[in-house]
Amino acid sequence: MMNFQKLLKLKTDKLLLLSLIILLTSCSKEEKQKSYLAKVNDSYLTREELASLVDTSDLDASEKNALIKDWIYNEILFQKALEDGITDEDEFNNIVQSSYKKLAIALLIKKIYDETNVEFKTSDLMNYYEKNKNYFVHPYETYLINHARFKDEVTAIKFRDVAIESDWEKATGFFKNNNSLLFSETGNLKEMNEIYPVEVAEAVKYLLPDEISIVIRDKQMTYNVVQLKQKFSAFEILPFEIIKKDVEKRFIDEQKSKQFENFLKDLYSKSEIVIKERY
C-alpha cells in the first residue's frame, strides 16, 4: 500500500512544471508589458508571477534581485531549448506526460489531505504520546526558549526590564505593537543549531532555567533578549505539555494517512484491475 507522506513528496518536481505553465499562460503579453520586473525577448516576469514562485514578503532587495536573475537565466535557456527543438523531441514529451500524470496525482492527494477532518480530544493525544514516546526523543540537547528581537537597544532594555519585573508574556503583550519589535517567540523548542542568531545561541548555553539574558547585539545590528525556560539532555523523552503541538501534528498526520489508505482501498475495489502473469 502506498505511503501517504511519500506521495505528498511527489509535488516537488511537478510544481516546477506547474510554474512553467503559469509563466506561459497566466496573463497576456499586453498585460505583462504594462507592468513587469524583467523581460527576455518577448517573455515577461510580473510581480504576480514572482510571488507565485516564492513568498517574497520576507525577502530583501538583494534576494529579490537574485530570484529575478535566476528567472532570466532560466528563460534564456528555455528559449534556446525551444529554438533547438528540444520540446519536439520524444524524450521531452515522455517526461512531460509522466510529470503531467504525477502532478495530477499530487494535487489530488493534497486536496484529499486538506479536506480530511480529524476530530480528537486531549486524551487521544495523551494516549498516542504514551504509546509512541520514542518518536519524541531528540538526539541532541534541546532548549525551550523565549526570544524577542528589536531594532534599537533602548526598547530592548525596556522590554527586558518589564520581563524581569513581571513576566515574559506580559512584556510581549505590552510591546507587541511597538515598531521596534522585529520578532517574538514564546515557548519554542529548539536544538542549539536551530537558535539564531549565533550570538543568542551562545548566550543560551550559559543561562539558568527561567533566567533572562542581557540585551545581545548581533551582527545585523539588532538587539535580542532571550530567556531559557528549560534545558533537556540528548535522548531525553520530552514532556507532553511541552511538545503537545508536535504530538498533535504527528497524530493528525497519521490519522489522515489511515483515512487516505482507506480511500485508496475503496478506489481499488471499485476499479477493474487486471494483472497479467509476467513470467
Side-chain angles (χ1 to χ4, degrees):
M1 190 60 62
M2 290 188 190
N3 184 284
F4 184 62
Q5 296 301 324
K6 287 182 179 178
L7 286 173
L8 286 177
K9 294 179 182 178
L10 285 171
K11 67 181 182 179
T12 305
D13 58 328
K14 296 79 193 175
L15 290 180
L16 295 176
L17 176 64
L18 180 61
S19 298
L20 176 60
I21 294 171
I22 291 172
L23 287 173
L24 294 175
T25 63
S26 60
C27 58
S28 69
K29 178 180 175 182
E30 290 75 17
E31 289 173 330
K32 292 181 180 181
Q33 285 177 329
K34 294 178 183 177
S35 175
Y36 64 88
L37 298 173
K39 69 183 287 285
V40 176
N41 299 321
D42 291 330
S43 183
Y44 296 82
L45 175 66
T46 66
R47 294 181 185 278
E48 293 74 18
E49 287 172 340
L50 181 64
S52 75
L53 297 174
V54 65
D55 182 5
T56 59
S57 58
D58 293 327
L59 301 182
D60 59 30
S62 64
E63 290 170 326
K64 290 179 182 177
N65 287 336
L67 284 173
I68 292 171
K69 186 176 290 186
D70 284 343
W71 177 87
I72 291 172
Y73 287 139
N74 284 328
E75 190 61 34
I76 290 171
L77 291 171
F78 177 66
Q79 292 184 19
K80 178 59 177 173
L82 288 176
E83 182 184 324
D84 289 357
I86 298 295
T87 57
D88 296 325
E89 295 178 359
D90 290 342
E91 182 181 4
F92 174 84
N93 289 311
N94 289 338
I95 293 172
V96 168
Q97 277 301 108
S98 176
S99 297
Y100 178 82
K101 182 181 291 187
K102 290 177 181 177
L103 176 61
I105 293 170
L107 292 178
L108 172 64
I109 293 170
K110 183 179 184 301
K111 178 176 181 291
I112 294 169
Y113 186 90
D114 291 343
E115 293 178 355
T116 299
N117 183 42
V118 177
E119 296 183 357
F120 60 89
K121 298 176 290 187
T122 301
S123 58
D124 296 322
L125 298 181
M126 293 182 70
N127 289 334
Y128 179 80
Y129 168 79
E130 290 296 330
K131 293 178 181 178
N132 301 280
K133 283 185 176 181
N134 288 338
Y135 288 155
F136 308 105
V137 173
H138 285 230
Y140 304 102
E141 287 186 344
T142 311
Y143 303 82
L144 185 69
I145 64 170
N146 298 328
H147 179 198
R149 195 175 184 186
F150 299 88
K151 293 179 184 178
D152 67 272
E153 186 176 18
V154 172
T155 307
I157 292 172
K158 291 179 180 178
F159 175 90
R160 180 178 184 271
D161 289 343
V162 173
I164 290 175
E165 291 173 6
S166 53
D167 59 51
W168 188 276
E169 286 72 20
K170 288 182 180 179
T172 301
F174 186 78
F175 284 86
K176 67 179 180 179
N177 295 321
N178 192 296
N179 291 331
S180 179
L181 180 63
L182 295 171
F183 167 85
S184 177
E185 64 178 3
T186 302
N188 258 17
L189 194 66
K190 293 186 175 184
E191 294 173 3
M192 181 55 65
N193 62 357
E194 296 174 323
I195 301 175
Y196 179 84
V198 293
E199 293 85 356
V200 172
E202 282 298 314
V204 168
K205 289 180 182 179
Y206 303 102
L207 292 177
L208 298 174
D210 289 326
E211 184 180 1
I212 296 175
S213 72
I214 61 172
V215 173
I216 305 163
R217 187 176 72 176
D218 56 45
K219 291 180 181 178
Q220 286 72 43
M221 299 301 291
T222 59
Y223 299 86
N224 302 265
V225 180
V226 62
Q227 180 181 32
L228 174 65
K229 294 298 295 179
Q230 206 165 346
K231 177 182 175 181
F232 300 95
S233 303
F235 297 102
E236 182 177 349
I237 295 176
L238 303 176
F240 173 78
E241 294 76 16
I242 290 176
I243 56 168
K244 182 178 178 181
K245 289 183 179 179
D246 292 337
V247 175
E248 180 179 324
K249 182 180 183 303
R250 190 178 183 96
F251 175 82
I252 290 174
D253 285 345
E254 285 198 10
Q255 293 303 309
K256 287 188 175 186
S257 181
K258 289 177 182 178
Q259 291 187 42
F260 176 79
E261 296 289 354
N262 292 332
F263 168 80
L264 194 55
K265 288 178 181 177
D266 185 56
L267 282 182
Y268 191 97
S269 66
K270 292 177 180 177
S271 302
E272 182 182 348
I273 298 172
V274 177
I275 301 176
K276 289 189 175 182
E277 189 174 333
R278 295 181 176 86
Y279 306 102

